Amino acid sequence: MSRLLIPRRKFLGLGALGLGAAALGFSGRPADAASFEELIAHAQSLTYGAQRLLGRNALAREFSAKDISPVFKVNGTHMPDTTEYEALLAGDFATWRLQVEGLVATPLSLSLADLHALPQRTQITRHDCVEGWSAIGQWQGTPLAEILKRAAPLPAARFVVFHCADFYERAADGTGQYYESIDLVDAFHPQTILAHSLNGEALSVGHGAPVRLRVERQLGYKQAKYVMRIELVERFDRIGRGKGGYWPDRGYEWYAGI
Ligand SMILES: Nc1nc2c(c(=O)[nH]1)N[C@H]1C(S)=C(S)[C@@H](COP(=O)(O)O)O[C@H]1N2
Ligand SMILES: [Mo]
Protein backbone atom coordinates (compact mmCIF):
# COMPACT_ATOMS: atom_id res chain seq x y z
CA MET A 1 0.00 0.00 0.00
CA SER A 2 2.68 2.47 1.02
CA ARG A 3 4.31 1.96 -2.37
CA LEU A 4 1.19 2.92 -4.25
CA LEU A 5 1.53 6.26 -5.89
CA ILE A 6 -1.78 7.54 -4.62
CA PRO A 7 -2.01 10.23 -2.01
CA ARG A 8 -4.32 9.18 0.76
CA ARG A 9 -6.25 12.43 0.51
CA LYS A 10 -7.41 11.45 -2.94
CA PHE A 11 -8.94 8.27 -1.56
CA LEU A 12 -10.86 10.25 1.00
CA GLY A 13 -12.09 12.73 -1.54
CA LEU A 14 -13.69 10.21 -3.84
CA GLY A 15 -17.08 10.41 -2.16
CA ALA A 16 -17.58 13.72 -3.86
CA LEU A 17 -17.80 11.95 -7.22
CA GLY A 18 -21.08 10.69 -8.58
CA LEU A 19 -20.13 7.07 -8.16
CA GLY A 20 -19.03 7.46 -4.56
CA ALA A 21 -16.05 5.66 -3.10
CA ALA A 22 -18.38 3.82 -0.74
CA ALA A 23 -20.03 2.12 -3.70
CA LEU A 24 -16.75 0.39 -4.40
CA GLY A 25 -16.31 -0.96 -0.95
CA PHE A 26 -14.14 1.55 0.87
CA SER A 27 -16.20 1.49 4.02
CA GLY A 28 -17.56 -2.02 3.78
CA ARG A 29 -20.87 -0.96 5.30
CA PRO A 30 -23.95 -2.97 4.25
CA ALA A 31 -25.55 0.25 3.10
CA ASP A 32 -23.05 0.28 0.24
CA ALA A 33 -24.85 -2.57 -1.46
CA ALA A 34 -27.61 -0.46 -2.93
CA SER A 35 -25.30 1.96 -4.69
CA PHE A 36 -23.12 -0.85 -5.95
CA GLU A 37 -26.24 -2.50 -7.33
CA GLU A 38 -27.02 0.71 -9.17
CA LEU A 39 -23.53 0.80 -10.63
CA ILE A 40 -23.81 -2.76 -11.86
CA ALA A 41 -27.31 -2.25 -13.22
CA HIS A 42 -25.97 0.69 -15.17
CA ALA A 43 -23.17 -1.48 -16.54
CA GLN A 44 -25.43 -4.14 -17.99
CA SER A 45 -26.21 -4.36 -21.64
CA LEU A 46 -29.67 -5.65 -22.52
CA THR A 47 -28.46 -8.77 -24.29
CA TYR A 48 -27.21 -10.50 -21.18
CA GLY A 49 -28.15 -8.19 -18.34
CA ALA A 50 -30.81 -10.13 -16.47
CA GLN A 51 -28.87 -13.37 -16.63
CA ARG A 52 -25.64 -11.77 -15.40
CA LEU A 53 -27.37 -10.01 -12.51
CA LEU A 54 -28.76 -13.30 -11.24
CA GLY A 55 -25.42 -15.03 -11.28
CA ARG A 56 -23.07 -12.14 -10.78
CA ASN A 57 -21.40 -13.55 -7.67
CA ALA A 58 -21.37 -17.22 -8.66
CA LEU A 59 -17.89 -18.63 -8.30
CA ALA A 60 -16.09 -20.73 -10.86
CA ARG A 61 -15.17 -24.12 -9.47
CA GLU A 62 -11.96 -24.24 -7.47
CA PHE A 63 -9.81 -27.36 -7.21
CA SER A 64 -7.27 -28.71 -4.76
CA ALA A 65 -3.50 -28.96 -5.10
CA LYS A 66 -3.65 -32.62 -6.14
CA ASP A 67 -5.68 -31.64 -9.23
CA ILE A 68 -3.02 -29.30 -10.65
CA SER A 69 -2.04 -30.35 -14.17
CA PRO A 70 1.56 -31.54 -14.51
CA VAL A 71 1.86 -29.52 -17.70
CA PHE A 72 0.09 -26.25 -18.46
CA LYS A 73 0.26 -25.66 -22.19
CA VAL A 74 1.40 -22.31 -23.55
CA ASN A 75 -0.96 -21.06 -26.23
CA GLY A 76 -1.20 -18.03 -28.49
CA THR A 77 1.81 -15.77 -28.14
CA HIS A 78 4.82 -17.46 -26.55
CA MET A 79 6.98 -14.32 -26.42
CA PRO A 80 5.92 -10.77 -27.39
CA ASP A 81 7.95 -9.71 -30.37
CA THR A 82 8.64 -6.06 -29.54
CA THR A 83 11.79 -4.24 -28.48
CA GLU A 84 9.84 -2.66 -25.61
CA TYR A 85 8.94 -6.03 -24.15
CA GLU A 86 12.43 -7.40 -24.65
CA ALA A 87 13.84 -4.45 -22.71
CA LEU A 88 11.36 -4.94 -19.86
CA LEU A 89 12.19 -8.64 -19.70
CA ALA A 90 15.94 -7.95 -19.74
CA GLY A 91 15.45 -5.73 -16.67
CA ASP A 92 13.33 -8.37 -14.93
CA PHE A 93 10.33 -6.01 -15.20
CA ALA A 94 11.80 -3.56 -12.66
CA THR A 95 10.76 -0.67 -14.89
CA TRP A 96 7.42 -2.19 -15.90
CA ARG A 97 4.41 -0.13 -14.85
CA LEU A 98 0.78 -1.07 -15.17
CA GLN A 99 -1.13 1.97 -16.36
CA VAL A 100 -4.74 2.29 -15.23
CA GLU A 101 -6.52 5.03 -17.14
CA GLY A 102 -9.50 6.10 -19.17
CA LEU A 103 -12.75 6.74 -17.31
CA VAL A 104 -11.28 6.81 -13.82
CA ALA A 105 -11.05 9.55 -11.21
CA THR A 106 -7.50 8.58 -10.24
CA PRO A 107 -5.24 7.20 -12.98
CA LEU A 108 -2.64 4.82 -11.57
CA SER A 109 0.84 3.69 -12.51
CA LEU A 110 1.68 0.55 -10.55
CA SER A 111 4.94 -1.38 -10.33
CA LEU A 112 5.06 -5.11 -9.71
CA ALA A 113 5.99 -4.34 -6.10
CA ASP A 114 2.87 -2.17 -5.82
CA LEU A 115 0.74 -5.08 -7.05
CA HIS A 116 2.36 -7.46 -4.57
CA ALA A 117 1.73 -4.97 -1.74
CA LEU A 118 -2.02 -5.02 -2.38
CA PRO A 119 -4.26 -7.80 -1.00
CA GLN A 120 -3.64 -11.09 -2.77
CA ARG A 121 -5.77 -14.01 -3.83
CA THR A 122 -4.77 -17.58 -4.70
CA GLN A 123 -7.07 -19.90 -6.63
CA ILE A 124 -6.80 -23.28 -8.33
CA THR A 125 -9.00 -23.22 -11.40
CA ARG A 126 -9.44 -24.86 -14.77
CA HIS A 127 -8.53 -23.02 -17.94
CA ASP A 128 -10.61 -24.01 -20.97
CA CYS A 129 -9.40 -23.09 -24.44
CA VAL A 130 -11.81 -23.08 -27.39
CA GLU A 131 -9.30 -25.18 -29.27
CA GLY A 132 -10.29 -28.09 -27.04
CA TRP A 133 -7.74 -28.38 -24.26
CA SER A 134 -7.94 -27.61 -20.54
CA ALA A 135 -5.45 -27.32 -17.70
CA ILE A 136 -5.75 -26.81 -13.96
CA GLY A 137 -3.36 -24.38 -12.35
CA GLN A 138 -2.90 -22.36 -9.19
CA TRP A 139 -2.97 -18.65 -9.88
CA GLN A 140 -1.91 -15.95 -7.48
CA GLY A 141 -2.34 -12.26 -7.92
CA THR A 142 -4.08 -9.04 -7.07
CA PRO A 143 -7.86 -8.90 -7.30
CA LEU A 144 -8.77 -6.49 -10.07
CA ALA A 145 -11.33 -4.97 -7.67
CA GLU A 146 -8.50 -3.80 -5.40
CA ILE A 147 -6.94 -1.93 -8.29
CA LEU A 148 -10.18 -0.54 -9.66
CA LYS A 149 -11.46 0.78 -6.37
CA ARG A 150 -8.25 2.76 -6.02
CA ALA A 151 -8.61 4.13 -9.55
CA ALA A 152 -12.30 4.90 -8.89
CA PRO A 153 -14.19 4.30 -12.15
CA LEU A 154 -16.31 7.22 -13.25
CA PRO A 155 -20.08 6.68 -13.64
CA ALA A 156 -19.77 6.45 -17.44
CA ALA A 157 -17.34 3.50 -17.25
CA ARG A 158 -18.89 0.22 -18.43
CA PHE A 159 -16.01 -2.00 -19.51
CA VAL A 160 -12.42 -2.71 -18.52
CA VAL A 161 -10.03 -3.14 -21.46
CA PHE A 162 -6.70 -4.96 -21.11
CA HIS A 163 -4.06 -3.83 -23.58
CA CYS A 164 -1.31 -6.41 -24.04
CA ALA A 165 2.34 -6.18 -25.08
CA ASP A 166 2.07 -8.65 -27.95
CA PHE A 167 0.90 -8.59 -31.52
CA TYR A 168 -0.69 -11.93 -32.18
CA GLU A 169 -0.49 -11.27 -35.88
CA ARG A 170 0.81 -7.89 -36.88
CA ALA A 171 -1.03 -6.55 -39.91
CA ALA A 172 0.50 -4.21 -42.48
CA ASP A 173 -1.53 -1.31 -41.04
CA GLY A 174 0.05 -1.84 -37.62
CA THR A 175 -3.04 -3.44 -36.03
CA GLY A 176 -3.08 -6.85 -34.44
CA GLN A 177 -2.10 -6.05 -30.88
CA TYR A 178 -3.76 -8.43 -28.44
CA TYR A 179 -6.40 -6.97 -26.17
CA GLU A 180 -9.45 -8.12 -24.29
CA SER A 181 -12.24 -6.63 -22.22
CA ILE A 182 -14.77 -7.53 -19.55
CA ASP A 183 -17.76 -5.82 -17.98
CA LEU A 184 -17.85 -4.45 -14.44
CA VAL A 185 -19.63 -7.54 -13.11
CA ASP A 186 -16.65 -9.67 -14.04
CA ALA A 187 -14.20 -6.89 -13.17
CA PHE A 188 -15.35 -6.79 -9.53
CA HIS A 189 -15.90 -10.55 -9.25
CA PRO A 190 -13.77 -12.01 -6.41
CA GLN A 191 -11.99 -14.51 -8.69
CA THR A 192 -10.96 -11.89 -11.24
CA ILE A 193 -7.29 -11.26 -10.58
CA LEU A 194 -4.20 -9.92 -12.27
CA ALA A 195 -2.05 -12.99 -11.75
CA HIS A 196 1.70 -12.72 -11.31
CA SER A 197 2.31 -16.37 -10.36
CA LEU A 198 1.36 -19.81 -11.63
CA ASN A 199 1.80 -22.85 -9.38
CA GLY A 200 3.83 -20.85 -6.89
CA GLU A 201 6.33 -19.40 -9.34
CA ALA A 202 6.56 -16.03 -11.04
CA LEU A 203 4.78 -16.19 -14.40
CA SER A 204 6.95 -17.42 -17.22
CA VAL A 205 7.06 -15.41 -20.42
CA GLY A 206 4.96 -18.09 -22.08
CA HIS A 207 2.18 -17.68 -19.54
CA GLY A 208 2.13 -13.88 -19.73
CA ALA A 209 4.85 -12.29 -17.57
CA PRO A 210 4.75 -10.06 -15.69
CA VAL A 211 0.96 -10.21 -15.20
CA ARG A 212 -2.02 -11.73 -16.95
CA LEU A 213 -5.73 -11.58 -16.39
CA ARG A 214 -7.66 -14.47 -14.84
CA VAL A 215 -11.39 -14.11 -15.36
CA GLU A 216 -12.41 -17.56 -14.33
CA ARG A 217 -15.95 -17.82 -15.67
CA GLN A 218 -14.83 -17.28 -19.26
CA LEU A 219 -12.82 -19.12 -21.90
CA GLY A 220 -9.08 -19.07 -22.48
CA TYR A 221 -8.87 -16.27 -24.99
CA LYS A 222 -10.28 -13.80 -22.43
CA GLN A 223 -7.30 -14.50 -20.12
CA ALA A 224 -5.15 -11.66 -21.49
CA LYS A 225 -1.41 -12.20 -21.05
CA TYR A 226 1.30 -9.47 -20.93
CA VAL A 227 -1.11 -6.83 -19.59
CA MET A 228 0.48 -3.40 -19.88
CA ARG A 229 -2.43 -1.01 -19.65
CA ILE A 230 -5.94 -1.14 -18.26
CA GLU A 231 -8.42 1.28 -19.75
CA LEU A 232 -11.95 1.96 -18.52
CA VAL A 233 -14.29 2.78 -21.35
CA GLU A 234 -17.93 3.29 -22.14
CA ARG A 235 -17.71 1.61 -25.56
CA PHE A 236 -15.31 -0.29 -27.80
CA ASP A 237 -15.69 1.36 -31.18
CA ARG A 238 -12.32 3.13 -31.18
CA ILE A 239 -10.32 0.13 -29.95
CA GLY A 240 -8.98 -2.47 -32.38
CA ARG A 241 -11.78 -3.38 -34.79
CA GLY A 242 -14.41 -2.40 -32.26
CA LYS A 243 -15.66 -5.72 -30.87
CA GLY A 244 -13.89 -5.61 -27.51
CA GLY A 245 -11.07 -8.09 -28.08
CA TYR A 246 -8.57 -9.54 -30.51
CA TRP A 247 -10.58 -12.72 -31.04
CA PRO A 248 -14.01 -11.06 -30.76
CA ASP A 249 -12.78 -8.78 -33.58
CA ARG A 250 -12.26 -11.97 -35.59
CA GLY A 251 -15.66 -13.54 -35.02
CA TYR A 252 -15.50 -15.08 -31.54
CA GLU A 253 -18.04 -14.23 -28.86
CA TRP A 254 -17.18 -11.22 -26.69
CA TYR A 255 -18.85 -12.85 -23.69
CA ALA A 256 -17.20 -16.26 -23.62
CA GLY A 257 -18.96 -17.79 -20.62
CA ILE A 258 -18.11 -21.36 -19.69
N1 LIG B 1 -1.70 -11.31 -24.84
C1 LIG B 1 -2.21 -12.51 -25.17
N2 LIG B 1 -3.08 -13.09 -24.34
C2 LIG B 1 -3.61 -14.29 -24.63
C3 LIG B 1 -3.30 -14.95 -25.84
C4 LIG B 1 -2.37 -14.32 -26.71
O1 LIG B 1 -2.02 -14.83 -27.79
N3 LIG B 1 -1.86 -13.10 -26.34
N4 LIG B 1 -3.89 -16.17 -26.14
C5 LIG B 1 -5.12 -16.51 -25.40
C6 LIG B 1 -5.53 -17.91 -25.52
S1 LIG B 1 -6.37 -18.40 -26.90
C7 LIG B 1 -5.37 -18.79 -24.48
S2 LIG B 1 -5.98 -20.37 -24.53
C8 LIG B 1 -4.58 -18.40 -23.30
C9 LIG B 1 -3.38 -19.30 -23.15
O2 LIG B 1 -2.72 -19.02 -21.95
P1 LIG B 1 -1.44 -19.85 -21.59
O3 LIG B 1 -0.42 -19.62 -22.69
O4 LIG B 1 -0.98 -19.35 -20.27
O5 LIG B 1 -1.86 -21.30 -21.57
O6 LIG B 1 -4.13 -17.07 -23.32
C10 LIG B 1 -5.01 -16.16 -23.93
N5 LIG B 1 -4.47 -14.83 -23.75
MO1 LIG C 1 -7.38 -20.36 -26.35
Side-chain angles (χ1 to χ4, degrees), residues 160-209:
V160 183
V161 182
F162 303 86
H163 296 279
C164 306
D166 59 313
F167 289 77
Y168 185 75
E169 213 173 66
R170 199 195 290 258
D173 64 359
T175 63
Q177 195 154 6
Y178 204 93
Y179 76 104
E180 256 305 336
S181 62
I182 56 178
D183 65 11
L184 294 184
V185 173
D186 269 331
F188 283 93
H189 185 274
Q191 289 171 317
T192 299
I193 65 175
L194 277 190
H196 51 67
S197 301
L198 171 60
N199 299 337
E201 287 178 30
L203 275 192
S204 64
V205 170
H207 289 302

Side-chain angles (χ1 to χ4, degrees), residues 20-193:
L24 293 172
F26 281 102
S27 74
R29 282 180 288 108
D32 296 344
S35 43
F36 185 67
E37 213 75 281
E38 278 165 28
L39 169 72
I40 294 304
H42 171 74
Q44 300 302 307
S45 84
L46 290 172
T47 49
Y48 67 114
Q51 192 187 350
R52 297 302 313 287
L53 269 173
L54 285 173
R56 69 188 177 87
N57 286 322
L59 295 179
R61 180 171 172 198
E62 294 196 14
F63 297 79
S64 61
K66 66 173 175 14
D67 303 315
I68 292 173
S69 303
V71 176
F72 201 117
K73 183 181 153 89
V74 169
N75 204 34
T77 299
H78 284 51
M79 160 78 192
D81 177 23
T82 69
T83 50
E84 292 87 344
Y85 186 83
E86 278 164 24
L88 288 168
L89 177 61
D92 206 18
F93 300 107
T95 57
W96 175 87
R97 293 292 180 276
L98 175 71
Q99 308 299 335
V100 185
E101 57 193 36
L103 298 174
V104 295
T106 310
L108 306 175
S109 174
L110 304 172
S111 68
L112 262 184
D114 291 333
L115 291 181
H116 280 266
L118 287 170
Q120 301 288 295
R121 181 178 166 100
T122 303
Q123 58 203 27
I124 301 175
T125 54
R126 196 184 64 213
H127 175 107
D128 294 312
C129 172
V130 279
E131 293 168 14
W133 60 275
S134 298
I136 293 174
Q138 182 197 61
W139 301 100
Q140 189 192 339
T142 310
L144 185 62
E146 295 291 341
I147 297 166
L148 292 182
K149 69 189 188 186
R150 286 164 174 81
L154 297 173
R158 294 184 60 206
F159 304 106
V160 183
V161 182
F162 303 86
H163 296 279
C164 306
D166 59 313
F167 289 77
Y168 185 75
E169 213 173 66
R170 199 195 290 258
D173 64 359
T175 63
Q177 195 154 6
Y178 204 93
Y179 76 104
E180 256 305 336
S181 62
I182 56 178
D183 65 11
L184 294 184
V185 173
D186 269 331
F188 283 93
H189 185 274
Q191 289 171 317
T192 299
I193 65 175

